[in-house]
Amino acid sequence: MTTPTQENRYPTALTVDDFKHNLAVVRQKIATACQRSGRDAHTVRLLPVSKTVDKARIQLAYEAGCHFLGENKVQEAFDKWQSLSALNDLQWSIIGHLQTNKAKFVAKFAAEFQALDSIRLAEALERKLQEEGRSIDVFIQVNTSGETSKYGLHPEETAAFIKSLASFDCLKVKGFMTLACLSDNEQRVRSCFRLLRNLRDQRQQDAPANMQLHELSMGMSGDYAMAVEEGATVVRVGQAIFGARALPDSYYWPTHG
Ligand SMILES: *Cc1c(COP(=O)(O)O)cnc(C)c1O
């Protein structure tokens, strides 16, 4: 691995052993956070996020046990899916904002979509999935930080949104996803996670009978331990597994710039 420096908290994984090491470290931190909060570590899924990582290193991560990967941009994910088709049990989760006209790509190959935030998009996805004869797991993205231009529904919009999803047979709604605010203030970050968890608990009570809505996808390299303490069932971790990215987060989340 490259040596970590002040600017680079996340050394780049370059071998299968590097990946095994990084995965073990992250899993250990998840287990410790579970212990602190009285949770069973098996109730937390680690979703490695491979955006910007090339095919060769994804292959190494796969050999280290990563068979379900998250990607922010659907076109990048689609290209990787095509070029890595030899790994036929490798599954993909799209975790970033999706334009309606790109729903067809998600419908072709993704196992999961975590950024559902409009009815128009739900309709487009449902239609394309029907054409493909497929269904996918979906998470509703919620804006828990109140930052105006960040993607996701406002918490108050979720009840009506969920009702209108009940008739979409190809979208298996599993729960909620959020990006916490990027802040050094731990309480502010935690309050985003808590908001999502409380929202999940409420929405489970008035959910249509065919929806479980159990999942909470929250926490990334900088804050996943906290997210687990607050109830995350999925953590999306990129840099702590693959290494630091060259592109700033503002490239993926315009408001963070
Ligand atoms: C990139 C990304 C992550 C992972 O961030 P890291 O800092 O690499 O752990 C999580 N969620 C979303 C939506 C992302 O785009």
Side-chain angles (χ1 to χ4, degrees), residues 154-174:
H154 287 281
E156 320 82 65
E157 297 172 317
T158 53
F161 185 66
I162 288 165
K163 278 211 185 88
S164 57
L165 292 180
S167 59
F168 294 122
D169 294 333
C170 305
L171 304 181
K172 308 293 178 201
V173 187
K174 298 293 177 184

Side-chain angles (χ1 to χ4, degrees), residues 196-249:
L196 196 71
R197 180 192 179 142
N198 290 334
L199 188 72
R200 191 262 327 253
D201 294 348
Q202 284 171 19
R203 291 291 84 87
Q204 274 187 314
Q205 298 184 9
D206 49 36
N210 61 343
M211 283 187 205
Q212 300 304 318
L213 298 182
H214 171 69
E215 302 283 349
L216 287 175
S217 174
M218 53 192 200
M220 12 198 278
S221 291
D223 57 18
Y224 67 87
M226 232 189 283
V228 167
E229 288 174 3
E230 300 297 341
T233 64
V234 180
V235 291
R236 310 177 305 267
V237 179
Q239 299 181 86
I241 294 172
F242 290 91
R245 274 185 304 275
L247 288 167
D249 283 343

Side-chain angles (χ1 to χ4, degrees), residues 128-145:
K128 295 299 176 188
L129 284 161
Q130 275 178 11
E131 285 171 23
E132 298 287 336
R134 298 180 67 241
S135 63
I136 54 170
D137 291 345
V138 300
F139 291 53
I140 296 160
Q141 184 172 355
V142 179
N143 180 339
T144 54
S145 67

